[in-house]
Structure formats: structure tokens, C-alpha cells
Amino acid sequence: MKHTTITIDGPAGSGKSTVARMVAARLGFLYLDTGALYRTAALAIRRSGCAIEDESSCGAVVARSHIRFSGDRIELGGEDVSSEIRSNDISELASRIASYPPVRTALLEIQRSFQDISSLVVEGRDTGSVVFPDAAVKIYLDASSAVRARRRHDELAGKGVLISYEQVLRDMELRDQRDSTRSSSPLVVPKHAVVVDTTHRDIDGVVQKILEIIEQSLPDQ
Ligand code: DC
């Protein structure tokens, strides 16, 4: 059977994860969080002790690590690392190693393999531009950096992480800059993507908007 793929790309704090999960649930599609793959790859590299600046060694570590999803948890070598990969430290390292072509190549096939299993709602930075260029519907979510940093700060505060809003904003702008200017698969608005600005919309409003876009593009869903 031919599966349908919907991609949702955008910068950190644009609301991708929550929105993609909800859209996937509404459509009965599998939700694929590709940022979690990059974060787990970063953790694998950290644990391996390999030199962080050595791009090909980092790629080799990722290629031989056992990263898999188990329901909505992610495992590295059979260990549930879903919470550990959300630290600020891993956010920073993930952004760094995500600019390495050997790391991106190692994660490319893993991402594409999900298309054989199920229809997908995939979210990330290059899912509509590079990983699934033929996706049936492509969405690009955006919001002002102030609003994105506020969301991320509230999320961290909810988890008891002590960090100032200003620090979150600085870290986010640095990561945005790195994600958008790297030479390998930078964050871009994919060709044919519909841009949805989430600055003044709540989550339900964004989900509704995306479902309308999908409905117009794929009347049979
Ligand atoms: O969405 P996130 O914050 O969990 O992503 C973590 C890092 O991984 C982020 O700095 C960008 C990178 N990433 C990427 O380069 N390509 C993707 N498809 C997903 C994430």
C-alpha cells in the first residue's frame, strides 16, 4: 500500500512537536520526531568519548549505534533515553553534530525507513526539503524568536529547570543561526511548503489550520 507522508519543519519553539503529534493522532498516522534522532545521536557521540570536532568519527559512532523508537519513547542501545536527550546540554550538542554531513547521512536512511511501515507526520528541520522531498503535504511553522523562547522557557520551567528567559533566548538564537546557515541541509522553507505563523495562534488553532491545509490538498484523508 502507498503510504502518505506529511512533513512539518521549522525552528525550535515553533510548536512543531506538539502540533505534529496532535495532527498524527487526528489522522491515525505515525508521528516521527526527527529532532529526537539527532538528540539521541548526540548522546551516543557524547557517551562514546569520540572527539566532538571529528566529523567522520562522529558519523561512524552514529552509524553503529542502535537508536530506535518504542511507542513514544526513544532508546539508545535498548536504554530509554527520552528524558536525558531533552537537557540543554544535549540541545547544544545536537545542533552542533547536526551540521556534520556523515551524521546526517547516517540518520537519513533511518528516517526514510519509516515510510515503508506507515503513513507519517514527520517533524524536523529538513524533512520536507531533503528527507522526504516528495511528501504529499509540506508545512513550515514559524513564530517570532521572542515567542519561541518564551514557550521553551515555560517548558523548561515546567520540568524544574532553572534558567533565565534571556539565556534561553540567546541559546535559541545561536541554534537558529547554526541550523539555518550550515552548509549541509540547512533549515529552509521547503519548495511547495505552506508557511503557518504560530506567533498569534494557540496549539488548537494551529492544528486546525494544518488539518484544513491537508484536507484541501488530500481530500480523501
Ligand atoms: O527539534 P529539536 O530541537 O529536538 O532538534 C534538535 C537539533 O537537531 C536541532 O538543533 C536541529 C537538529 N535537527 C536537524 O538538523 N534536522 C532535523 N530534521 C531535526 C533536528
Side-chain angles (χ1 to χ4, degrees):
M1 194 184 90
K2 175 102 176 67
H3 293 127
T4 303
T5 298
I6 293 166
T7 60
I8 304 184
D9 291 298
S14 54
K16 287 183 314 272
S17 308
T18 314
V19 165
R21 188 177 279 113
M22 288 170 74
V23 170
R26 289 284 289 273
L27 297 173
F29 288 11
L30 191 71
Y31 161 60
L32 176 58
D33 172 2
T34 63
L37 291 174
Y38 281 90
R39 289 168 177 275
T40 306
L43 183 62
I45 289 167
R46 153 111 353 122
R47 287 185 176 176
S48 76
C50 94
I52 301 298
E53 55 291 336
D54 182 342
E55 300 193 8
S56 60
S57 299
C58 287
V61 168
V62 177
R64 63 170 185 267
S65 33
H66 296 282
I67 301 174
R68 61 179 284 267
F69 285 96
S70 169
D72 59 356
R73 316 300 294 169
I74 190 157
E75 295 178 353
L76 174 61
E79 177 194 343
D80 181 352
V81 293
S82 316
S83 303
E84 195 173 347
I85 60 165
R86 298 292 156 192
S87 71
N88 240 20
D89 200 33
I90 290 293
S91 298
E92 170 59 27
L93 186 58
S95 168
R96 213 169 142 190
I97 58 101
S99 68
Y100 298 172
V103 168
R104 301 202 75 84
T105 304
L107 293 179
L108 192 60
E109 288 316 310
I110 301 183
Q111 296 173 76
R112 288 188 176 149
S113 69
F114 284 91
Q115 215 176 15
D116 302 332
I117 307 172
S118 171
S119 287
L120 302 174
V121 176
V122 196
E123 59 103 343
R125 300 295 194 289
D126 65 341
T127 65
S129 55
V130 174
V131 187
F132 300 108
D134 299 326
V137 180
K138 301 179 190 180
I139 306 287
Y140 185 88
L141 286 190
D142 209 353
S144 70
S145 55
V147 163
R148 293 188 290 111
R150 172 65 57 210
R151 289 176 185 156
R152 177 83 181 130
H153 182 258
D154 291 351
E155 183 191 331
L156 290 170
K159 288 181 190 151
V161 178
L162 286 178
I163 183 165
S164 70
Y165 164 77
E166 289 71 23
Q167 183 65 49
V168 173
L169 180 62
R170 270 197 301 277
D171 291 351
M172 187 170 267
E173 285 177 340
L174 188 74
R175 284 209 287 142
D176 281 354
Q177 158 85 1
R178 197 187 281 145
D179 293 343
S180 310
T181 56
R182 65 179 179 224
S183 52
S184 178
S185 302
L187 172 66
V188 290
V189 179
K191 211 167 154 193
H192 307 307
V194 181
V195 179
V196 177
D197 192 318
T198 72
T199 307
H200 302 294
R201 282 183 210 261
D202 64 9
I203 294 290
D204 288 337
V206 178
V207 170
Q208 199 46 46
K209 174 79 190 154
I210 293 177
L211 289 171
E212 282 165 24
I213 295 167
I214 295 169
E215 162 101 48
Q216 280 161 11
S217 311
L218 308 170
D220 294 342
Q221 287 304 322

